[in-house]
Amino acid sequence: MTAPRVDEDALLRCADEPIAIPGAVQPHGVLLAATEPDLAVVVSSANAGAVLGRSGGTLDDYLTADDAARLREALAGDLAEVNPLRVTVAGAEVDLVLHRVDGLLITEWELVAGAEQAGAAWHRRLPTVLQRLSASATLEELSEVLARDVRTLTGFDRVMIYRFDDAWNGEVIAEDRREDLEPFLGLHYPASDIPAQARALYTSNWMRIIPDAGYQRVPLDPPINPLTGRPLELSGSILRSVSPVHLEYLANMGVVSSMSVSLIDRGKLWGLISCHHYAGPHRPSYPDRQAAEFLGRTASLLLPTLAASGETDGLVEVARRTAELTAAVGRTPRALATALTEEDVTVLDLLPAGGAAVRLDGQLRLLGTTPPAERVLPLVRALLDAGIDATDAASTLVPDAADLAESASGVLVVPVGGEDFLAWFRPETLREVTWGGNPYQSKTAQTDDGPRLSPRRSFDAWSETVRETSRPWHEHEVAAARTLAGHLAAATLNRASEDNRLAGALQRTLLLEELPKVPGVALAARYRASADDVVGGDWYDLVPLPSGRLSIVLGDVAGHGLAAAAVTAQLRHALRAHLLRAAGPAAALDGLNEVIGALLPGEMATVVVAELDPDSGEVVLASAGHLPVLHAGSVGAEYVMDGRGPALGILDAPSYTETRLTLAGDDRLLLFSDGLVERAAAGLAAGLDALREAVGTGPTAPEQLLDAVLGALNPPSTDDVTLLGIART
Amino acid sequence: MLFDVGRSTVAGRAALTVRGELDLATAPQLADAAAALMQSSPEGFVIDLSPTKFLDSSGARTLMVIARDARAAGVPLHVLVPRTNRPVRLPIDLLDLGTAVPLVAAASEIGSSVAHKDAGT
């Protein structure tokens, strides 16, 4: 399998070919390079003597006194404005074209005789031509006008407007030709037909002509610039001799004369006006070529204002869908995913696509025909990471996705914020491309110097089926997707701040505004919200029971924000109901665990319940996965390690157990959430020790005790902290 | 604050070794890794907390959720916590995690059925 490598070598060799410094010119003119201001000729093309009657010397030697004076006057100004300077040499009219490079004045002398001239009539019509160009409403129209007028002006047998795609393949999008010629319209040409260094040259030099592809090169003498010691730079020359590979290419196509004008859109080579002549050598005069270049430059300026007519297909429809979906998003900011996927108009209707994916709040929803869910994320991520929002050939960018071509050859993706996104998928559309000759045929020829690129010999139309590509995405479709994503991101932001407000309000209802007055019991509560989150999952409750006893509850639901607050509210009310009915705290926890299993699957909470008899001081304790409560008496404080079971929502049927203790005299009971001790600098054990110390030695009255505990432990504000203190009076 | 969930093998089973502090910020990483392993190792896996420096209630909840999901999926799970790892053992004991999470104190307590199967092939 060495053939591809040989091809690459040959292509590289071709790309290396020094097309800007060929050391020779074409024979339809003479090149003289002179130093300034003495105008001493230091480089001459070898045909100077034959055409101009002399070589060497100074430029003055070639010109009449009048013409020499005009030349010197021109040199003082902008050379672009004087070209061409029409002079008379040995009785013959010559167009003298001037430019400077690397410290030398390059003068090129082109005989007027032998050139085709469109004549004054055409030039008088120039304003009409320009008006036609600028009146073109579409790219197709502009291209047709351009091809027709350039052909009228220059008289070539065929004038084509050639457009490059992203991979530098070319397509003939407009053509004006001699009627008997076979049409080239719609043909594609591979990128290698115009190698990279030629495209680079075409971006700086707008116009090239080869009047006779069968020409004999005219060497420069000497071939180097004596000021720099390097080969004379000819990229700005009108006579530059071209690559023999290119001449062979033209000959294979049957082209005798060719000319091309660059079309450049905002600095990037967009296409070419490509002119062919078959009947024989053909040389439009320098002024006519200038006019053709001027038309090319004018069209280039118009390019950004025109879109291909297909590009606007569905524009109105897509805009209408964008408005409908945006309105739906505005109506239901709390159910964005539903608004986009379950209503009459879904994201899939926004633009023509086979499938769509909506990822909001981390939840992925798929509509229509899409890759499987687990493949959507990696594909979208790979494209976004590569900075690509739309592709009609995803597998060329993400090779892993080649097997997804059937549903996702085309992908359009817009981020919504965070990891969320909207994406649309288009299926593989088999597309027929007609190449001007088989672009894959071998193009290398073995020579003594190794493989050399040999231009294509066959230009017979050759059709190819392109796979793993979809219908392309229009710019206005990408823009509509971005608009919708922007509205979604804004709605999500609004919702987040709204959620915080709601959750805050909800949590305030979970925390008692005022503790109930229970005879014989002193109660205190403290709640400190987390600085990161408006709402944590902590809650506490005091439930006076019909028996005269008092249930004291402290719980913590896993999670934060509105969802956790809503679960907390449900658990609080469910636990109240069970406490009022059940035989004791453990039975109430069994009931609450059932509630979670049946109504809130997946949720988890810890809770501790202390049931106090104010008369006797008896306390029944049961804990579901909560940190132990602290019992402080006259001899110090101890954690109550009995009566504990797993957190709620973990096991189907745990059997919670209870433990009993008595609050005697000044005894205090402290219930707390993990935020109080968990993040102590020295660890949980140290936090628990510090809490026991603070309670054991602190004030007996619950209000003062809680303040003292908070002061001593100073828990970080990264989690919410809840404390309940109970004593008998 | 270094945290890392690494793939390893304990007692012949696929394992997740948890280094650093397992808390509110890092627990989701363990949850993701465990969910993936539950798919790829239906014969069972181990969460190794030997090098874990800290465990808070969020980390404990995550372990409980993983244990619950493993139970539901019928995937054998062991959570390895040596008794000498006090900072992790304490919250586990305080929260009575043992009732909900299959804890072992040493790799030797894990049935090595997978290792035997490997030896036989």
Side-chain angles (χ1 to χ4, degrees):
Chain A
M1 294 299 290
T2 55
R5 216 169 56 76
V6 172
D7 268 340
E8 272 169 34
D9 287 351
L11 278 169
L12 284 175
R13 204 166 304 225
C14 178
D16 283 345
E17 192 183 328
I19 61 173
I21 47 167
V25 295
Q26 299 181 52
H28 63 276
V30 174
L31 184 144
L32 302 175
T35 51
E36 291 182 86
D38 58 358
L39 301 187
V41 173
V42 292
V43 177
S44 310
S45 57
N47 57 352
V51 177
L52 301 178
R54 59 178 306 132
S55 63
T58 73
L59 293 179
D60 296 306
D61 302 338
Y62 296 78
L63 296 164
T64 65
D66 275 0
D67 288 342
R70 288 171 58 222
L71 172 64
R72 287 189 182 277
E73 193 182 332
L75 293 178
D78 180 354
L79 296 189
E81 281 184 14
V82 301
N83 286 331
L85 194 65
R86 189 154 289 188
V87 297
T88 308
V89 179
E93 280 195 312
V94 170
D95 278 332
L96 183 54
V97 179
L98 311 168
H99 75 282
R100 292 189 177 93
V101 68
D102 293 338
L104 287 183
L105 174 70
I106 309 295
T107 67
E108 295 174 276
W109 309 62
E110 188 177 322
L111 287 173
V112 174
E116 313 285 333
Q117 305 219 41
W122 192 92
H123 290 269
R124 271 199 304 275
R125 280 179 38 237
L126 186 59
T128 320
V129 173
L130 291 179
Q131 199 178 3
R132 260 206 302 269
L133 279 179
S134 59
S136 301
T138 65
L139 188 58
E140 287 77 2
E141 214 178 307
L142 177 77
S143 306
E144 278 161 24
V145 170
L146 192 59
R148 194 168 63 240
D149 282 316
V150 168
R151 181 157 178 256
T152 311
L153 168 67
T154 59
F156 277 97
D157 286 341
R158 184 197 304 274
V159 174
M160 296 168 282
I161 308 303
Y162 188 85
R163 179 186 188 171
F164 294 112
D165 68 12
D166 293 339
W168 296 110
N169 298 310
E171 179 186 359
V172 178
I173 61 167
E175 171 181 62
D176 196 67
R177 65 179 200 281
R178 219 174 61 203
E179 266 179 31
D180 58 309
L181 293 175
E182 164 195 15
F184 284 0
L185 186 66
L187 288 186
H188 290 70
Y189 293 85
S192 55
D193 274 14
I194 301 177
Q197 86 276 34
R199 294 195 299 265
L201 182 67
Y202 293 0
T203 311
S204 60
N205 177 346
W206 287 67
M207 148 79 61
R208 285 74 43 190
I209 183 162
I210 303 164
D212 182 356
Y215 74 89
Q216 292 292 318
R217 292 157 48 88
V218 181
L220 296 179
D221 180 28
I224 57 156
N225 176 341
L227 298 185
T228 63
R230 289 195 301 273
L232 186 62
E233 165 75 41
L234 292 185
S235 57
S237 157
I238 60 167
L239 295 173
R240 178 178 60 87
S241 184
V242 306
S243 159
V245 176
H246 183 60
L247 294 176
E248 214 176 309
Y249 176 89
L250 291 177
N252 291 345
M253 270 202 292
V255 174
V256 180
S257 171
S258 102
M259 181 180 98
S260 74
V261 179
S262 304
L263 295 171
I264 296 174
D265 183 4
R266 287 159 285 185
K268 183 172 185 256
L269 188 64
W270 179 94
L272 297 171
I273 307 171
S274 177
C275 312
H276 286 171
H277 208 68
Y278 307 94
H282 186 71
R283 174 161 65 94
S285 70
Y286 184 83
D288 289 355
R289 289 177 351 238
Q290 266 187 320
E293 178 180 328
F294 176 69
L295 292 183
R297 287 177 182 265
T298 305
S300 292
L301 290 175
L302 294 171
L303 284 176
T305 68
L306 296 173
S309 58
E311 183 65 26
T312 54
D313 281 355
L315 183 67
V316 174
E317 179 70 2
V318 170
R320 197 163 62 80
R321 296 293 195 205
T322 310
E324 286 173 5
L325 285 167
T326 302
V329 164
R331 277 196 304 273
T332 50
R334 329 221 118 255
L336 294 177
T338 307
L340 293 177
T341 58
E342 292 176 17
E343 302 297 323
D344 290 344
V345 176
T346 70
V347 279
L348 186 50
D349 300 312
L350 178 67
L351 42 88
V358 175
R359 189 177 195 266
L360 290 173
D361 298 329
Q363 298 286 314
L364 184 67
R365 294 186 182 212
L366 300 178
L367 292 171
T369 309
T370 68
E374 72 275 12
R375 304 288 305 278
V376 167
L377 220 55
L379 173 60
V380 162
R381 189 61 38 215
L383 289 172
L384 287 177
D385 287 350
I388 289 154
D389 51 14
T391 172
D392 57 4
S395 64
T396 61
L397 302 163
V398 186
D400 288 350
D403 60 318
L404 304 177
E406 202 176 320
S407 60
S409 282
V411 183
L412 165 58
V413 56
V414 284
V416 173
E419 299 286 298
D420 290 348
F421 60 81
L422 301 178
W424 289 262
F425 303 98
R426 278 183 181 164
E428 180 176 39
T429 311
L430 300 185
R431 192 162 54 92
E432 193 87 337
V433 172
T434 305
W435 296 95
N438 183 343
Y440 303 111
Q441 70 189 159
S442 169
K443 286 191 292 187
T444 53
Q446 289 300 328
T447 71
D448 291 343
D449 299 330
R452 181 182 71 92
L453 198 68
S454 150
R456 301 194 286 125
R457 294 187 176 283
S458 168
F459 291 87
D460 292 343
W462 184 87
S463 288
E464 177 194 19
T465 303
V466 178
R467 301 201 60 112
E468 292 180 18
T469 62
S470 73
R471 258 188 57 193
W473 305 94
H474 293 321
E475 259 177 51
H476 75 83
E477 292 170 340
V478 179
R482 285 210 195 99
T483 302
L484 183 59
H487 286 302
L488 280 175
T492 309
L493 276 182
N494 287 341
R495 193 187 54 183
S497 63
E498 170 83 348
D499 279 356
N500 278 345
R501 209 169 54 72
L502 269 180
L506 187 50
Q507 177 137 37
R508 279 192 296 280
T509 70
L510 298 175
L511 307 171
L512 306 172
E513 291 287 330
E514 194 179 346
L515 297 180
K517 298 273 181 288
V518 180
V521 181
L523 285 165
R526 293 287 181 277
Y527 174 78
R528 230 173 67 181
S530 145
D532 302 343
D533 243 304
V534 178
V535 195
D538 285 1
W539 94 89
Y540 62 86
D541 203 359
L542 296 160
V543 187
L545 302 177
S547 62
R549 296 162 81 98
L550 174 68
S551 268
I552 302 142
V553 174
L554 196 152
D556 184 2
V557 168
H560 293 262
L562 188 56
V567 171
T568 306
Q570 296 181 61
L571 288 185
R572 177 170 176 246
H573 291 293
L575 183 55
R576 279 191 155 211
H578 281 284
L579 285 169
L580 286 167
R581 266 207 331 260
L589 290 181
D590 284 342
L592 190 58
N593 192 64
E594 270 178 43
V595 169
I596 288 199
L599 301 177
L600 299 164
E603 301 295 345
M604 193 169 52
T606 67
V607 62
V608 62
V609 180
E611 200 175 288
L612 169 69
D613 181 342
D615 295 336
S616 65
E618 189 194 35
V619 176
V620 183
L621 273 173
S623 164
H626 204 83
L627 285 170
V629 304
L630 190 58
H631 178 203
S634 48
V635 294
E638 287 304 328
Y639 290 103
V640 182
M641 300 303 289
D642 293 329
R644 295 181 307 124
L648 299 164
I650 296 299
L651 299 181
D652 287 342
S655 205
Y656 290 100
T657 58
E658 296 173 345
T659 189
R660 285 159 197 273
L661 59 90
T662 304
L663 280 189
D666 284 342
D667 285 8
R668 286 88 65 202
L669 202 59
L670 189 80
L671 282 61
F672 56 94
S673 65
D674 48 24
L676 180 65
V677 287
E678 197 158 72
R679 272 289 162 187
L684 177 60
L688 290 171
D689 289 346
L691 176 61
R692 181 166 52 196
E693 175 72 15
V695 171
T697 60
T700 50
E703 291 285 349
Q704 287 78 0
L705 175 64
L706 297 193
D707 288 338
V709 165
L710 280 171
L713 272 77
N714 189 25
S717 61
T718 49
D719 197 2
D720 48 352
V721 175
T722 308
L723 281 161
L724 283 177
I726 303 126
R728 291 169 69 208
T729 53
Chain B
M1 219 57 76
L2 287 174
F3 178 79
D4 168 61
V5 178
R7 287 291 299 271
S8 55
T9 305
V10 171
R13 298 184 182 214
L16 296 170
T17 299
V18 183
R19 290 187 181 77
E21 306 200 347
L22 184 57
D23 59 15
L24 184 64
T26 58
Q29 285 184 55
L30 175 62
D32 289 349
L37 204 54
M38 221 174 283
Q39 297 279 324
S40 61
S41 300
E43 71 279 7
F45 68 104
V46 176
I47 295 176
D48 181 5
L49 300 183
S50 306
T52 308
K53 293 270 180 283
F54 175 84
L55 175 72
D56 79 349
S57 48
S58 302
R61 284 192 192 108
T62 300
L63 290 174
M64 287 191 273
V65 170
I66 292 170
R68 183 180 65 196
D69 294 349
R71 209 160 38 237
V75 177
L77 165 71
H78 292 89
V79 177
L80 173 59
V81 194
R83 291 193 205 290
T84 49
N85 189 349
R86 285 266 307 143
V88 173
R89 199 77 210 192
L90 178 67
I92 283 178
D93 291 341
L94 286 174
L95 298 169
D96 223 8
L97 224 56
T99 53
V101 176
L103 294 171
V104 292
S108 56
E109 295 174 32
I110 300 169
S112 49
S113 59
V114 174
H116 286 155
K117 200 175 81 188
D118 284 351
T121 56

